[in-house]
Amino acid sequence: MRLLITVARRIHKRPLCSPTSCLSSAASSSGAATNSGLQFRDDQLVCGSTGELVQRLSGQVEAIHGYRETERAQWGAVCEGVMDRLRAVAFSEGSPLLGPVHVLDLDKAGYIKPHIDSVKFCGSAIAGLSLLSDSVMRLVREDKPAECLNLFLPRRSLYILRDQARYKFTHEILKDAESIFSGQRVPRRRRISVICRNLPV
């Protein structure tokens, strides 16, 4: 942390931007409390130097609410065996994989908003183990929002997104209040996902 702060001080010679305009939208009004005790509504989480900039970029930034994340390069023997099986099922033999495995810890009240992972850093497939809680993943065609697909992800299941599902559809994990699959309520609890990706060709 000390090194990071030192580098940041060297880079930022000019005064930092002081955002004055905050996003105002019809987003949820639930509070997001920080460790310092500050409280903001979900529609107050984006601020910028001008209101015009906030409105222009508001549809281009997304957030994951209520989460922690890390990356793991090494696993114990049992876990490594599971990861080997995952890779064998999800990726073609010899496919170069993206370095450390991404681990996302989503709180019961957390959710993942619609997004498509950057093609600069990820290849044609994404594979994830869903642990601790059942959940619902929704895919929506980016250029035709009427085309959508819900996936029921039981705890301890593996999902794989390839090709069109990977590039043309956003994916999201529904929040608990919206977690319904085929008319059935799917209660969302704390969810951990272990995610592998291959490298761009």
Side-chain angles (χ1 to χ4, degrees):
M1 181 60 78
R2 185 173 298 163
L3 175 61
L4 179 60
I5 292 171
T6 302
V7 172
R9 283 177 178 157
R10 288 178 182 168
I11 292 173
H12 294 293
K13 298 295 185 184
R14 294 177 298 172
L16 295 176
C17 172
S18 299
T20 57
S21 299
C22 292
L23 177 65
S24 177
S25 71
S28 167
S29 60
S30 62
T34 65
N35 288 338
S36 61
L38 296 174
Q39 184 109 10
F40 298 100
R41 297 193 315 268
D42 285 352
D43 61 355
Q44 296 176 320
L45 296 180
V46 178
C47 290
S49 54
T50 66
E52 185 276 331
L53 178 64
V54 170
Q55 292 299 326
R56 180 155 47 92
L57 296 186
S58 64
Q60 301 174 29
V61 295
E62 300 290 348
I64 304 173
H65 294 261
Y67 78 102
R68 296 179 298 177
E69 64 182 341
T70 188
E71 291 184 330
R72 292 290 299 265
Q74 295 182 335
W75 301 83
V78 174
C79 291
E80 192 60 54
V82 173
M83 299 307 298
D84 287 344
R85 288 167 55 200
L86 182 157
R87 295 179 184 112
V89 169
F91 306 103
S92 57
E93 187 174 354
S95 176
L97 301 182
L98 188 64
V101 174
H102 187 199
V103 181
L104 185 64
D105 184 350
L106 199 62
D107 185 75
K108 171 179 167 52
Y111 56 97
I112 301 175
K113 297 184 73 174
H115 67 285
I116 297 176
D117 293 329
S118 173
V119 296
K120 293 180 181 178
F121 306 108
C122 309
S124 60
I126 303 168
L129 286 174
S130 294
L131 305 175
L132 298 186
S133 175
D134 299 342
S135 58
V136 178
M137 175 180 281
R138 176 169 293 161
L139 276 63
V140 178
R141 175 91 180 236
E142 191 176 32
D143 58 347
K144 295 180 181 177
E147 292 187 17
C148 62
L149 190 72
N150 284 351
L151 305 177
F152 174 54
L153 302 179
R155 69 186 187 97
R156 297 164 64 183
S157 65
L158 170 67
Y159 71 87
I160 302 170
L161 303 179
R162 293 192 184 100
D163 304 325
Q164 285 196 27
R166 155 81 176 88
Y167 290 114
K168 296 185 179 296
F169 288 75
T170 63
H171 59 279
E172 62 187 295
I173 295 294
L174 301 184
K175 61 180 71 174
D176 182 55
E178 301 170 356
S179 189
I180 297 172
F181 182 79
S182 192
Q184 303 275 337
R185 178 88 167 88
V186 180
R188 260 284 321 286
R189 298 179 177 86
R190 179 187 175 201
R191 175 181 183 264
I192 291 178
S193 51
V194 181
I195 306 164
C196 292
R197 301 177 175 95
N198 60 359
L199 287 168
V201 177

